[in-house]
C-alpha cells in the first residue's frame, strides 16, 4: 500500500511540473481544480515539488512556476499587455478555468464573449482591456477576419496579429472587417 502511495505521489509531482510548465504561474488550488485530484492527495506531491519552483507575486497573490522570472521580465510582460493590442484563441482554459469571470471582463462583456455552453469566443485585448472578439473564414487558401468591437484598438497591431495567424495556417491574408457595437 505504501509503495502505491509513493508511486501516486511521484506521478502527481510530475503532473504538477507539467501543469506549471504549460499553465503556470499558478497556485495549488489552481492545480487541484484543473486536475480534479483531491487536495489531500496533492499536498504531499506539491510539497515535494515546491523546492524546484519559483514564486512570483501577481497583484497580491503568490503564484508558482517552474522557470524563474525576474521582476524585469514580469514587468515586460505586464507592459506588453497594458500597451499593445493582442488576440487570444477561442478557448483558453487559462482564461476560463474555474475562476469568476469578473477578473477578465465586466458582465456586459462576458455576455459578448462566452457562448451559452461556456466556450470563450476569441477576445481582443487592447491596453489591458477586452475590447472585442474575432473570427475568421478560411477558403481556398485565403483567410479573412471579422472583428466585433466595443472599444478602441490599434489597427496596425491587430493586423500584425492576424497576419501571424494567417502565416501559421499557411493562408493568404485578405484583411479584416470590423463592426463596432455598443454594449448594453
Amino acid at each position: 500500500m505504501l509503495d502505491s502511495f509513493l508511486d501516486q505521489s511521484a506521478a502527481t509531482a510530475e503532473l504538477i511540473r507539467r501543469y506549471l510548465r504549460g499553465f503556470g504561474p499558478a497556485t495549488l488550488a489552481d492545480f487541484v481544480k484543473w486536475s480534479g485530484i483531491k487536495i489531500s492527495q496533492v499536498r504531499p506531491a506539491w510539497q515535494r515539488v515546491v523546492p524546484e519552483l519559483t514564486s512570483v507575486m501577481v497583484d497580491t497573490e503568490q503564484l508558482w512556476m517552474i522557470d524563474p522570472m525576474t521582476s524585469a521580465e514580469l514587468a515586460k510582460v505586464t507592459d506588453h499587455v497594458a500597451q499593445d493590442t493582442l488576440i487570444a484563441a477561442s478557448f483558453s482554459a487559462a482564461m476560463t478555468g474555474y475562476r469568476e469571470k469578473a477578473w477578465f471582463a465586466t458582465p456586459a462583456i462576458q455576455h459578448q464573449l462566452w457562448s451559452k455552453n461556456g466556450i470563450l469566443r476569441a477576445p481582443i485585448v487592447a491596453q489591458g482591456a477586452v475590447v472585442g472578439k474575432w473570427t475568421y473564414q478560411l477558403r481556398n487558401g485565403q483567410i479573412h477576419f471579422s472583428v466585433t468591437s466595443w472599444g478602441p484598438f490599434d489597427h496596425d497591431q491587430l493586423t500584425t496579429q492576424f497576419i501571424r495567424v494567417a502565416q501559421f495556417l499557411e493562408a493568404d491574408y485578405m484583411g479584416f472587417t470590423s463592426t463596432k457595437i455598443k454594449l448594453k
Side-chain angles (χ1 to χ4, degrees):
M1 179 71 173
L2 185 59
D3 286 342
S4 68
F5 177 76
L6 293 176
D7 292 342
Q8 179 184 354
S9 180
T12 303
E14 182 57 28
L15 186 60
I16 291 167
R17 289 180 193 98
R18 291 179 185 204
Y19 170 79
L20 290 173
R21 277 189 193 97
F23 300 110
T27 65
L28 168 64
D30 293 330
F31 176 78
V32 168
K33 198 66 164 173
W34 173 83
S35 68
I37 303 170
K38 292 180 182 179
I39 195 162
S40 60
Q41 294 175 319
V42 172
R43 270 197 189 103
W46 187 269
Q47 291 307 315
R48 185 183 206 167
V49 175
V50 163
E52 305 168 28
L53 303 181
T54 299
S55 171
V56 62
M57 292 299 289
V58 176
D59 293 327
T60 60
E61 188 173 24
Q62 183 178 24
L63 304 173
W64 299 92
M65 55 195 301
I66 293 288
D67 298 319
M69 179 178 272
T70 67
S71 297
E73 291 169 324
L74 182 59
K76 183 178 177 181
V77 170
T78 303
D79 289 346
H80 178 57
V81 172
Q83 296 173 13
D84 295 336
T85 296
L86 308 165
I87 60 173
S90 292
F91 175 80
S92 175
M95 286 185 185
T96 59
Y98 65 92
R99 294 183 181 231
E100 290 297 317
K101 297 172 184 162
W103 73 269
F104 184 63
T106 65
I109 293 172
Q110 290 173 29
H111 180 71
Q112 291 293 321
L113 288 179
W114 272 270
S115 68
K116 289 181 182 178
N117 61 1
I119 301 299
L120 175 66
R121 294 182 179 107
I124 300 169
V125 177
Q127 297 180 347
V130 180
V131 298
K133 61 186 178 182
W134 63 278
T135 60
Y136 68 87
Q137 289 188 337
L138 180 62
R139 286 193 203 129
N140 301 324
Q142 297 181 328
I143 190 167
H144 183 270
F145 295 86
S146 297
V147 170
T148 302
S149 67
W150 45 84
F153 58 87
D154 184 300
H155 187 278
D156 292 337
Q157 289 178 351
L158 190 60
T159 298
T160 299
Q161 297 289 311
F162 287 154
I163 288 171
R164 290 180 62 208
V165 172
Q167 289 170 339
F168 177 78
L169 295 174
E170 298 179 348
D172 294 325
Y173 176 68
M174 303 307 290
F176 72 90
T177 55
S178 183
T179 304
K180 184 126 178 137
I181 65 168
K182 189 168 188 152
L183 297 178
K184 298 176 187 175

